[in-house]
Amino acid sequence: MNNQLKKQSAFRRELYQRAILDSFVKLDPRWMVRNPVMFVVEVGSALTTALWVQALFGKGEAPAGFIGAVAIWLWFTVLFANFSEAVAEGRGKAQAEALRKTRQMTQAKKLKAPNRESKYELVPSTALRKGEVYLVEAGDLLAVDGEVIEGIASVDESAVTGESAPVIREAGGDRSAVTGGTRLLSDWLIVRVTANPGEGFLDRMIGLVEGAKRQKTPNEIALNILLAGFTIVFLIVCATLLPYSLYSVQISGKGVPITITVLVALLVCLIPTTIGGLLSAIGIAGMDRMIQRNVIAMSGRAVEAAGDVDVLLLDKTGTITLGNRQAVDLLPVNGVSAQELAEAAQLASLADETPEGRSIVVLAKEKFGLRGRTIGSSEGAPEGMRFVPFTAQTRMSGVDFDGTSIRKGAPDTMMALVQSNGQAVPPDLQTSVDSIARSGGTPLVVARNRSALGVIHLKDIVKGGINERFAHLRKMGIKTVMITGDNPLTAAAIAAEAGVDDFLAQATPEAKLKLIREYQSGGRLVAMTGDGTNDAPALAQADVAVAMNTGTQPAREAANMVDLDSNPTKLIEIVEIGKQLLMTRGALTTFSIANDVSKYFAIIPAAFASTYPVLTTLNIMRLATPQSAILSAVIFNALVIIALIPLALRGVPYRPLGAARLLRDNLLIYGLGGLVAPFIGIKLIDMLLAALHLV
Amino acid sequence: MNPYNWFQLIFYFVVLFLLVKPLGLFMAHVYQGERTFLDPVFGPLERLIYRLGGVRADEEMNWKVYAIALMVFNVLGLLAVYALQRLQGFLPLNPQGFSAVSPDSSWNTAVSFASNTNWQGYGGETTMSYLTQMLAMTAQNFVSAATGMAALAAMIRGLARHTTDKIGNFWVDLTRTVLYILLPLAFMLGLALVSQGVVQTFSQYQTATLLQPITDASGKTVTTQTLAVGPAASQIAIKQLGTNGGGFFNVNSSHPFENPTPFSNFLEMLSILLIPAALCYTFGKMVGDTRQGWAILTAMTVIFVALFAVNVWTEQTGNPAIAKLGVDIQQSDINPGGNMEGKEVRFGVANSALWATATTAASNGSVDSMHDSYMPLGGLVEMWMIHLGEVVYGGVGSGLYGMLAFVIVAVFVAGLMVGRTPEYLGKKIEAYEMKMASLILLIPVFTALVGTAIGVLTPAGQSSVLNPGPHGFSEILYAFSSASGNNGSAFAGLNANTPFYNTALGIIMFIARYWLAIPALAIGGSLARKKKVPAGAGTLPTHTPLFIAWTIGVVIIVGALGFLPALALGPIVEHLMVFAQ
C-alpha cells in the first residue's frame, strides 16, 4: 500500500517535471499561434519585456521594477496555460501506455499446419496475423475473425448477433465465417484468420491526447471564434484607449498618458485568458476520462457528440438481458407428474455445461428439492450414466442409463423423435409449447424413452439494476430503444420488464439502419452499441457508435469508440463525459468574461488617476496604489489559471437535473462566482503586495 | 422616480404592449404571404408593382441573392438621394430657392437616410427643398425602414424553416412592408399629428409680426419672424414609425410645428417603439412559439426600464451647480424641478427622458429635448443605449436581428453550460453562426471606438468640439457612436457639418448598416439549411425567466466591457466632477 503510494507520487513528480519542461517548449510562437487568445498574451509579454529592457537603460515609461513585475507575470500567464495542456497530455499518454500493457488478450491455439493432428501453441489473439490458422474446441472463445476450413460445430454467437440460439458453422458454403468473441459450444473447428486484430487503435488514441496532433473539434472551433471575437473587441478597446488618454491629458492639462505597460496589462486581464488557456486541456482531459473508463475514442468529435445523444439503441442480448436464457418453469404433459419431469430434466442436464443446462439443474433443485446428483456412481444416482452431448447433427442432448434414455431439445426435433417411436404427440404438449412461446419464452421439450414428459420454460433474464440505468438515461433526456431479433411478442415482454422506452423486434441489419436514419432525419442524435458484423452498417450510420472490444473487426472499424470492458451500458458514462466536456467549456467561458468587471474597477482608476484624480471614486476595492492595483489584477489573472487546472482536468460535474436547473446552478457558481471572486482575490493580492512593501 | 414619472412610464408601456400583439400578428401575416384585410386596397397595386418591376413574387432567393438584391437597391437609393441634393437647384418644388447641397454633406445625408440612420449634419429648413425632403428624405424613410424589416423577415424564415436554402424574396418583402405596414400606419399617424397642429403644406415660409420687438446682436430692432413650414406631418409620421428620426426641422421634435402638444408627443414617442416591439411578436409567431418573442421583448423592456429609471432620476435630481446659483431645482407642488436645460416646458423631465431613452434604445434618433444638455449620467444612458448595439428594441428590423445575434451568443455559452452543443429553436449553433454573430457584435464597437480615436487624434476632429473638458470628448464619442448604431441623434455642441465629420460618419454609417445586415442574412441562410432538432429534457429552454436574465446579462456585459473605459473618460468623469464640487 505504502509502496504503491510512493510509486504514485513518483509518477506524479515525473509527470509534473515533464509538464513544466513542456510548458517552455510550447512557447514557440509557431505553436502558440494556434491559440489566438494566448498568442496575444505571448506577444504582450514580449512587448513588456522589451519595455523593461528599455527601462533598465533609464529611458523607461515607468519604473523598471514595475514593468519587470508585469512582464514576469504575463509570461507566467502563458506558461500556466501551457502547463495545463502539458499535464492533460502527460496524463493521457500515461493512461494509454498503461492500457496498452494491461489489455486483456484471449489465448488462441495457433496451428503449425491446417489439420487436426498438427501441434498447436498457445499465443495471444493479438499475435495472430492474417492467413494463419488456429484451432478452437468446445468451450473455447474464438480469438479473431476467420473462415472455417475444417470441421462442423455449434457456436454461441449471442454476444455478436443478439440471437440467443446457437448456430451451426461448417467449412465451405455460406456458413463458414466465424467472428471473434463468439464461443464454441460443441465439436471443434479449424479457422483461418481473415483480419489483423485491433490494429493500432491505441496509437490513434494517443494521437488524440497529444496536443500537437490533436484536431480541434467543431464546438471547440466555434468557441474559439467567439473567444477571438472577444479578444478583438478588447484589442480595439485597449488600442483606442491610448488616443483617448492623450486627448484627455491635452484637454485637462494634467497628468501623463496611459503607459504601454498598463495597456498591455489591461488587455491581458480583459481577454478571456482563463478559458483560452485551459481550452486545450479541457479537450484533452475529456479524452483522458474516456481512457480511464476503458473507452477508446477514435475522434474528439465523437466525444463531443456524445453529450448531445438523445436516442440510444441497445442490443437486447448481453445488454438488457443476460446473454443466455434460464429455466423458470417446468410444465408436465400427458399426465406425467411435475416431480417426474423435474427429475428427468435434471438428469438430462447434469452434464450440460451451458448456462441453460445449469439453470435447469438449479431450478429442479430449488423448486422440487432435487439435489443435483453428481455424475458417476454417487449415492442416489443411477449407476452407469452415459451422457449424450449436444451436437449439431442430433440437435439434442441427454443421458442414457439402465436402458433408459432421456433427451431434451427444441420442440420440432423432439416431436420428430416422439413420432419416430410411432407415438402421437400429446395434445397438451403442443398447447404448452405454444403458450410459452407466446409469453416470450423458449420451450424445451423433455422425453424419456422417446415419449414426451413435458416442457421446460426458458426465459430471457433481464439484468439486475438495468431498470435504474434506463431511468437515469431518461432523466438525462435520452430515449432508449431495444433492438432484438426476437419476435414482437417476446420483445414487448422484455422491453416492458427492462423499462426501455421503445423496441425494434425481428431486427435485420437493414431495419436497424432504417431506424437510425429515421431518427436522424428527425434531427435526433443517435448512439448505438453493437458488436456484431451485422451491426457494422448501423454503427457506421450512428452518430456515436460504441463497439464492444469482444466485437468483430468490422464492427470495431465502423464504430467511433471501442469499449475495452465490453460493457454496453458504458454509454451512460460516455454521454456524461461528453456533457462534462461541454459544460466545462461553458462554465469557464462565463467565469472568464464575468471576471472582467472587477478588472475594470481595478485598472481604470489606476490608469487615469494622474489625469482625472476624481476617478479614484471607482477604486471600490481601495487598492493601495495604482501600480499595486494593476499588478494585483495581472497576478490574479495568472493565478486563476493554475487554480482552475484541476477543474479543467476533472470537468464540471454533470447531474441529470434537466437543462433549466443545470443552467441556474452553473450560472450561480461560475457567473456570479466569476463576478465576485476576483474582487476578493485582487484585494487579497493587493494587501499582500502592500504588506510586503513590494510596490 | 416620483409617482408622476412612474405613471408616464406605465401608461406608455400599457398602450405599447396592447398594440404589440395585434400589430405583430398582422406583420406575421404580411411576411408569411397570407391575405390580410388590406388586400382589397393594396393587392392590385402590389401586383402592378411586381409586373412593372418584372418580379416573380413566388420565386424565393437564397441568402446571397437576397443580400445582393438588398445591396443593389440600397446603393441605387443612396445615389438617388445624393443626386437629388446636388441637383435641387434645377428641380421644382423649391419655393425658397435653395441651391445644391455640398458634396460631403450630400454624401453624408445620402448614406444617413439610406442606412436608416438619419444623422443630420444639415438643418432641414435652411438647406433642403420640398422636393428633396419628400422624394429623397421621406421616400428613404419608408424604404430604408422596409429594408431593415425585410432583412429581419428573411433571417426569421431561416430560423423557422429547415433543410432549405430559400429565405424569401427581397422585392416582395420590401413591397409588402411598405404597402401593408408602413404606409397605412404612417397615414393614420400623419392624420393624427395634423389634428394636433403639425404643419402639412406646400406654401412658402410665413412671415409673422412679433408681438414684442427685440434687438439683435448688431443692435438692429427686429419686428418680424420667418416661420418655416412645409409638408412636415407626412415625413414626421414615418420618421417616428420607421426608426428614422430625421426631422423636418433642425431641432427635430422639439419644434412646435413638428411636435406641438403633449398628445402629439405621446403619439410620436409611441411610434418610436411600436414596430420594433411588435416585431418581437411577429418573430415568435413566425417561428411557431410566441413565448420566444415575448422572452426577447421582456429582455429588452427590462433593460429599457432600468436605464430609463437612471435617466429620469439623474434629470430629476438636477445640476448642483445650478442649484448653487440660487435656482430652486427641487420638485414641489408648483415646481416640476430637475434639470430643465435643453428641455421643452410642455414635455417636462419625465417625457423628455422617456423620449430620449426610447429614441436611443430604438436607433430612432429623433429628439424632443437636447441630449447634450442632459446631466452626465443622463447623457451616459443615451450613449450607452447606442453602445448596447441598438438591440433594446433597436431599429425596425435591425434591432431584432442584432438582438438575435446576442441571443445566439447567449445560447452558445448557456447551451454549453447544460452539457449540449448549443442550439436555438432547434437549430445547432456552430462555427459559422458564431462567426457571423461575432461580426454583428464586433463591428459597431470597432467603428465607434476607432472613429472616436481618429476624431480625438486629428485636428479636423478636435476643431469641431465646442465644449471643453470631458464633455467635449463625450460629444465626439456620441457622434461616432450614433453613426455606428445607425441611430442618428446627436449631442449638440459638436459642429458636425464639416468635410471631416461628413465623410467619416458617412463611411461609418455605411459599414455599420450593411456589415450587420449581411451577416444577419448569412445566419438566416445557414440556419435555414439545417435540420430541426426536436426539444427534449436536455434542451435549454430559451423562454424562461432565467434565460431572459442571462440574455440581459450578455447584452449588458458586452456593452459594458466594450465601452466602459471610453465612458469613464467622458460622462463618468464628468459626473464625478460635477458632484465632487
Side-chain angles (χ1 to χ4, degrees):
Chain A
M1 184 68 198
N2 203 10
N3 211 12
Q4 201 181 350
L5 275 176
K6 247 187 221 159
K7 230 168 141 186
Q8 251 181 9
S9 76
F11 166 74
R12 272 210 195 124
R13 197 164 50 240
E14 199 185 322
L15 175 73
Y16 290 141
Q17 279 167 355
R18 172 103 210 127
I20 290 170
L21 197 69
D22 277 350
S23 359
F24 283 93
V25 175
K26 284 169 192 280
L27 285 176
D28 184 343
R30 285 168 301 175
W31 161 258
M32 291 296 299
V33 79
R34 276 168 50 104
N35 184 339
V37 178
M38 295 319 289
F39 183 68
V40 168
V41 182
E42 189 177 34
V43 172
S45 314
L47 186 62
T48 44
T49 309
L51 289 169
W52 172 68
V53 173
Q54 187 195 32
L56 282 183
F57 290 99
K59 292 176 196 152
E61 53 173 16
F66 171 67
I67 301 179
V70 170
I72 285 175
W73 280 99
L74 293 186
W75 282 115
F76 274 142
T77 312
V78 187
L79 287 172
F80 289 166
N82 286 350
F83 178 72
S84 75
E85 188 183 88
V87 168
E89 240 176 69
R91 288 186 6 160
K93 272 194 235 169
Q95 277 156 0
E97 283 301 332
L99 259 181
R100 200 206 286 279
K101 280 182 205 139
T102 61
R103 205 182 138 216
Q104 272 215 324
M105 290 164 185
T106 39
Q107 299 280 305
K109 295 165 178 165
K110 184 178 157 193
L111 288 170
K112 293 204 157 53
N115 57 64
R116 183 83 217 261
E117 284 70 39
S118 165
K119 281 173 103 180
Y120 66 76
E121 54 168 330
L122 277 176
V123 295
S125 63
T126 46
L128 286 172
R129 288 289 167 269
K130 205 170 165 179
E132 292 175 339
V133 282
Y134 68 98
L135 171 72
V136 257
E137 291 171 303
D140 288 352
L141 210 60
L142 275 99
V144 290
D145 288 9
E147 192 183 356
V148 180
I149 51 175
E150 202 185 326
I152 174 166
S154 59
V155 180
D156 173 11
E157 294 197 342
S158 61
V160 177
T161 57
E163 187 53 60
S164 359
V167 293
I168 306 299
R169 291 285 174 251
E170 58 190 329
D174 56 359
R175 292 195 295 178
S176 65
V178 288
T179 332
T182 58
R183 189 177 288 280
L184 212 67
L185 292 177
S186 68
D187 309 282
W188 54 271
L189 293 173
I190 294 176
V191 179
R192 181 189 289 125
V193 180
T194 52
N196 287 335
E199 205 163 285
F201 58 71
L202 276 170
D203 295 312
R204 276 169 74 179
M205 183 73 197
I206 291 172
L208 287 173
V209 295
E210 219 161 344
K213 294 184 198 147
R214 203 171 69 91
Q215 284 199 328
K216 286 196 184 117
T217 55
N219 176 263
E220 213 177 340
I221 293 170
L223 180 57
N224 249 316
I225 290 172
L226 181 68
L227 298 180
F230 276 118
T231 306
I232 295 171
V233 166
F234 293 124
L235 265 173
I236 298 167
V237 168
C238 293
T240 53
L241 211 46
L242 184 61
Y244 299 172
S245 174
L246 288 169
Y247 182 71
S248 300
V249 171
Q250 180 192 331
I251 55 176
S252 68
K254 263 191 304 190
V256 287
I258 190 166
T259 59
I260 304 288
T261 308
V262 173
L263 276 179
V264 171
L266 178 63
L267 175 65
V268 172
C269 285
L270 292 179
I271 61 176
T273 47
T274 313
I275 177 68
L278 294 173
L279 189 55
S280 176
I282 294 169
I284 296 170
M287 306 297 289
D288 291 356
R289 287 199 295 276
M290 286 285 185
I291 308 177
Q292 277 169 23
R293 286 171 182 74
N294 279 344
V295 177
I296 307 290
M298 302 297 178
S299 73
R301 198 193 188 103
V303 180
E304 205 173 272
D308 286 357
V309 164
D310 33 29
V311 178
L312 170 56
L313 305 188
L314 293 151
D315 252 348
K316 182 200 78 178
T317 310
T319 309
I320 296 169
T321 60
L322 297 167
N324 296 284
R325 291 159 297 191
Q326 293 191 2
V328 291
D329 203 4
L330 295 169
L331 305 172
V333 297
N334 215 10
V336 177
S337 77
Q339 190 77 14
E340 202 178 347
L341 170 63
E343 210 171 292
Q346 193 185 42
L347 281 171
S349 309
L350 280 179
D352 184 351
E353 281 304 311
T354 62
E356 286 92 346
R358 266 172 290 172
S359 78
I360 295 170
V361 177
V362 170
L363 179 76
K365 182 179 160 194
E366 284 178 352
K367 211 168 167 185
F368 299 94
L370 297 173
R371 291 176 50 230
R373 278 163 289 188
T374 45
I375 303 164
S377 54
S378 60
E379 44 131 356
E383 298 289 324
M385 281 167 85
R386 193 179 67 80
F387 293 98
V388 183
F390 180 87
T391 67
Q393 283 89 357
T394 61
R395 314 190 91 194
M396 60 180 82
S397 65
V399 62
D400 289 339
F401 60 92
D402 294 349
T404 313
S405 90
I406 303 175
R407 293 287 182 275
K408 69 181 199 307
D412 50 344
T413 324
M414 294 304 289
M415 282 178 196
L417 183 78
V418 170
Q419 279 160 348
S420 75
N421 198 24
Q423 290 184 17
V425 175
D428 52 350
L429 176 66
Q430 190 65 49
T431 329
S432 298
V433 164
D434 287 349
S435 83
I436 291 171
R438 255 200 313 279
S439 73
T442 307
L444 211 57
V445 174
V446 182
R448 186 173 56 206
N449 295 335
R450 301 190 178 189
S451 84
L453 295 178
V455 192
I456 303 168
H457 183 172
L458 291 179
K459 195 181 163 214
D460 263 321
I461 302 299
V462 171
K463 279 187 177 175
I466 198 87
N467 243 312
E468 290 75 40
R469 299 286 269 179
F470 290 141
H472 190 83
L473 280 164
R474 203 167 298 120
K475 267 203 212 156
M476 290 163 80
I478 297 169
K479 178 182 173 176
T480 45
V481 182
M482 181 183 86
I483 307 247
T484 171
D486 293 338
N487 63 62
L489 223 64
T490 313
I494 295 165
E497 196 180 336
V500 290
D501 298 319
D502 203 353
F503 66 89
L504 176 71
Q506 285 166 345
T508 59
E510 293 77 32
K512 289 187 204 177
L513 199 60
K514 193 167 150 256
L515 183 72
I516 295 178
R517 289 210 174 115
E518 263 167 32
Y519 278 120
Q520 286 176 333
S521 69
R524 306 265 183 195
L525 217 99
V526 181
M528 178 176 167
T529 56
D531 45 12
T533 304
N534 64 0
D535 289 333
L539 284 170
Q541 179 71 32
D543 301 283
V544 175
V546 185
M548 300 298 105
N549 192 37
T550 53
T552 62
Q553 192 60 20
R556 285 196 290 191
E557 271 168 18
N560 44 26
M561 290 183 202
V562 174
D563 178 16
L564 298 180
D565 296 342
S566 303
N567 169 10
T569 55
K570 190 69 83 60
L571 239 143
I572 294 178
E573 274 102 3
I574 293 175
V575 169
E576 282 183 352
I577 291 171
K579 284 186 181 295
Q580 278 187 338
L581 180 74
L582 296 171
M583 283 168 61
T584 312
R585 282 185 196 150
L588 290 185
T589 305
T590 310
F591 184 84
S592 201
I593 298 297
N595 266 331
D596 283 358
V597 175
S598 63
K599 290 165 187 169
Y600 268 136
F601 279 102
I603 295 183
I604 295 283
F608 300 111
S610 70
T611 315
Y612 293 127
V614 67
L615 274 178
T616 45
T617 317
L618 295 184
N619 180 9
I620 53 173
M621 285 176 269
R622 300 275 158 244
L623 303 176
T625 66
Q627 289 189 349
S628 78
I630 289 157
L631 207 52
S632 305
V634 172
I635 293 173
F636 176 83
N637 194 52
L639 289 182
V640 83
I641 294 180
I642 281 287
L644 289 174
I645 288 178
L647 181 72
L649 297 185
R650 205 178 54 234
V652 170
Y654 171 79
R655 282 154 302 148
L657 299 171
R661 183 76 196 280
L662 272 180
L663 179 63
R664 193 195 67 192
D665 292 358
N666 285 329
L667 272 182
L668 275 178
I669 299 170
Y670 301 99
L672 211 59
L675 217 53
V676 176
F679 278 103
I680 301 165
I682 291 174
K683 177 69 187 169
L684 287 178
I685 294 170
D686 180 77
M687 283 161 68
L688 195 67
L689 288 179
L692 298 174
H693 301 289
L694 286 175
V695 282
Chain B
M1 293 216 299
N2 59 36
Y4 172 74
N5 298 332
W6 276 117
F7 173 76
Q8 291 288 328
L9 180 75
I10 290 166
F11 180 67
Y12 179 77
F13 270 107
V14 166
V15 177
L16 181 69
F17 273 65
L18 283 176
L19 293 172
V20 160
K21 192 175 167 180
L23 181 60
L25 193 62
F26 175 76
M27 290 193 287
H29 288 314
V30 169
Y31 290 121
Q32 284 165 338
E34 292 155 18
R35 267 184 76 87
T36 65
F37 69 95
L38 287 174
D39 244 43
V41 188
F42 290 113
L45 185 57
E46 184 191 353
R47 285 184 286 278
L48 180 70
I49 291 172
Y50 296 154
R51 205 170 312 132
L52 290 178
V55 174
R56 290 211 196 121
D58 49 352
E59 255 180 33
E60 296 212 337
M61 304 166 170
N62 66 33
W63 81 263
K64 283 181 185 151
V65 177
Y66 200 102
I68 290 168
L70 183 147
M71 284 308 293
V72 167
F73 178 76
N74 274 263
V75 170
L76 288 180
L78 192 155
L79 292 176
V81 176
Y82 183 82
L84 275 168
Q85 292 176 83
R86 300 287 292 142
L87 301 174
Q88 70 176 359
F90 308 108
L91 296 172
L93 277 179
N94 188 1
Q96 301 299 315
F98 291 130
S99 58
V101 183
S102 73
D104 57 279
S105 177
S106 298
W107 147 256
N108 183 282
T109 306
V111 178
S112 173
F113 276 76
S115 65
N116 195 248
T117 311
N118 303 39
W119 168 270
Q120 291 168 296
Y122 64 93
E125 63 271 44
T126 55
T127 322
M128 302 292 179
S129 74
Y130 289 168
L131 185 80
T132 314
Q133 289 272 26
M134 288 195 304
L135 220 53
M137 312 305 160
T138 310
Q140 276 296 351
N141 278 351
F142 278 98
V143 292
S144 70
T147 297
M149 291 165 76
L152 172 70
M155 188 194 188
I156 295 175
R157 288 192 195 104
L159 276 163
R161 295 176 179 179
H162 58 93
T163 48
T164 171
D165 65 338
K166 299 283 186 277
I167 56 170
N169 182 316
F170 174 71
W171 307 113
V172 172
D173 288 339
L174 182 77
T175 312
R176 288 179 70 86
T177 306
V178 172
L179 286 184
Y180 292 97
I181 302 168
L182 296 177
L183 268 180
L185 281 175
F187 182 72
M188 287 191 290
L189 180 64
L191 278 186
L193 290 178
V194 167
S195 82
Q196 293 301 301
V198 177
V199 293
Q200 177 77 10
T201 173
F202 282 133
S203 56
Q204 285 190 338
Y205 292 176
Q206 306 291 304
T207 305
T209 309
L210 290 178
L211 296 173
Q212 208 175 3
I214 55 166
T215 35
D216 68 4
S218 57
K220 262 199 303 194
T221 305
V222 180
T223 55
T224 60
Q225 174 187 20
T226 305
L227 296 178
V229 290
S234 57
Q235 185 178 330
I236 291 157
I238 187 61
K239 90 159 192 212
Q240 295 303 103
L241 285 165
T243 56
N244 293 288
F248 193 88
F249 302 109
N250 194 16
V251 292
N252 214 297
S253 281
S254 49
H255 195 290
F257 288 169
E258 211 169 308
N259 186 11
T261 66
F263 183 59
S264 71
N265 189 62
F266 179 79
L267 287 178
E268 289 182 21
M269 221 158 48
L270 187 67
S271 311
I272 293 176
L273 297 189
L274 180 63
I275 293 178
L279 277 172
C280 294
Y281 188 85
T282 311
F283 159 74
K285 191 76 198 164
M286 284 174 77
V287 298
D289 184 359
T290 48
R291 293 175 310 178
Q292 305 293 341
W294 287 116
I296 289 182
L297 188 60
T298 308
M300 291 172 169
T301 307
V302 169
I303 300 176
F304 184 92
V305 171
L307 287 184
F308 168 72
V310 173
N311 199 347
V312 99
W313 166 74
T314 179
E315 291 311 305
Q316 194 65 61
T317 307
N319 191 338
I322 289 180
K324 264 187 201 154
L325 297 173
V327 178
D328 181 12
I329 59 167
Q330 287 303 311
Q331 189 212 349
S332 67
D333 288 343
I334 52 156
N335 181 4
N339 170 33
M340 281 302 288
E341 182 196 313
K343 294 187 181 65
E344 293 292 302
V345 178
R346 64 186 184 282
F347 305 138
V349 166
N351 275 314
S352 298
L354 185 54
W355 183 303
T357 313
T359 197
T360 45
S363 146
N364 185 297
S366 65
V367 293
D368 75 349
S369 56
M370 294 299 118
H371 294 182
D372 194 39
S373 299
Y374 275 67
M375 295 302 295
L377 284 188
L380 180 134
V381 164
E382 287 140 28
M383 224 182 295
W384 206 45
M385 272 295 193
I386 300 172
H387 291 158
L388 292 181
E390 289 295 8
V391 296
V392 181
Y393 307 107
V396 287
S398 61
L400 190 51
Y401 66 62
M403 188 61 163
L404 286 173
F406 273 95
V407 171
I408 282 172
V409 170
V411 158
F412 186 82
V413 180
L416 287 180
M417 273 193 285
V418 303
R420 281 173 76 93
T421 58
E423 61 210 17
Y424 183 50
L425 304 176
K427 298 296 181 71
K428 286 274 175 220
I429 305 299
E430 289 162 308
Y432 187 78
E433 290 77 30
M434 283 321 289
K435 212 180 284 177
M436 294 301 144
S438 298
L439 272 182
I440 293 177
L441 265 57
L442 188 79
I443 284 170
V445 180
F446 177 85
T447 50
L449 291 181
V450 173
T452 308
I454 295 170
V456 298
L457 278 184
T458 55
Q462 292 184 6
S463 64
S464 288
V465 178
L466 305 176
N467 288 81
H471 197 77
F473 178 76
S474 297
E475 286 164 358
I476 300 177
L477 179 63
Y478 195 104
F480 283 99
S481 305
S482 178
S484 299
N486 287 138
N487 183 285
S489 67
F491 252 22
L494 181 79
N495 175 21
N497 197 2
T498 65
F500 170 77
Y501 279 102
N502 278 333
T503 312
L505 294 176
I507 293 168
I508 285 179
M509 286 186 282
F510 191 86
I511 293 173
R513 174 69 164 183
Y514 302 107
W515 279 19
L516 263 56
I518 292 171
L521 287 174
I523 291 176
S526 163
L527 293 180
R529 274 195 291 273
K530 298 190 180 195
K531 284 187 283 196
K532 231 182 165 79
V533 184
T539 312
L540 172 78
T542 50
H543 61 268
T544 55
L546 183 69
F547 186 78
I548 293 170
W550 169 240
T551 306
I552 293 170
V554 171
V555 172
I556 296 280
I557 288 256
V558 171
L561 294 183
F563 291 96
L564 203 64
L567 291 171
L569 294 177
I572 292 176
V573 76
E574 193 188 353
H575 168 81
L576 293 173
M577 285 165 144
V578 166
F579 285 90
Q581 288 158 6

